[in-house]
Amino acid sequence: VQLQASGGGMAQAGGSLRLSCAASGGTLSYYYMGWIRQAPGKEREFVAGISWPGTRKNYATSVKGRFTISRDNVRHTVDLEMNSLKPEDTAIYYCAADRRGPVSTTAAFWGQGTLVTVSS
C-alpha cells in the first residue's frame, strides 16, 4: 500500500494540528495503522496506533491524553489529532501500515513524512 501523509506545519505550544494519512491507489482495509515520529538527532519513536477496523488504539506515554488517532474505513484515511502541543513534539511524523500486527518502528509500509514544528 502507498501512503500519503499531510497536515504538518507549525504551531505554538498549547496549540493543535491534525495529520491525515490516505491510501494512494489502494485501500487501508485489514491494515493496522499508526504514526511514528522522528525528532532531529533522535531515533524513530512510536506515537499512536489503531487496529482494523479501529476497535483498539494505543498511544505512547508521552502523547497519551493529548493525541487521538482515528480511522475512516470508507474514505481509507487515518488521522492524528494533536492537542496541547509541546516543543518536544517537534518531529517528522510518518504514517505507517502493517498487516502482520500493530504498527511499530519496523512497520512494513511508510508514507513520506510530514514535518511538525512546535514553538515555545
Side-chain angles (χ1 to χ4, degrees), residues 31-86:
Y31 283 94
Y32 291 84
M33 299 298 301
W35 293 89
I36 307 293
R37 69 185 180 187
Q38 187 167 22
K42 295 189 176 181
E43 299 290 321
R44 286 187 175 182
E45 172 191 31
F46 169 81
V47 177
I50 187 167
S51 66
W52 168 263
T55 49
R56 295 188 302 276
K57 303 176 184 181
N58 60 313
Y59 299 92
T61 302
S62 58
V63 307
K64 196 172 292 184
R66 300 188 297 121
F67 291 11
T68 303
I69 190 170
S70 61
R71 67 188 300 163
D72 184 324
N73 296 327
V74 174
R75 298 173 61 193
H76 299 288
T77 58
V78 176
D79 290 350
L80 184 70
E81 180 72 30
M82 304 185 294
N83 298 316
S84 302
L85 284 163
K86 303 176 180 180

Side-chain angles (χ1 to χ4, degrees), residues 30 36-37 87 99 105 108:
Y30 306 108
I36 307 293
R37 69 185 180 187
R99 278 191 170 179
T105 56

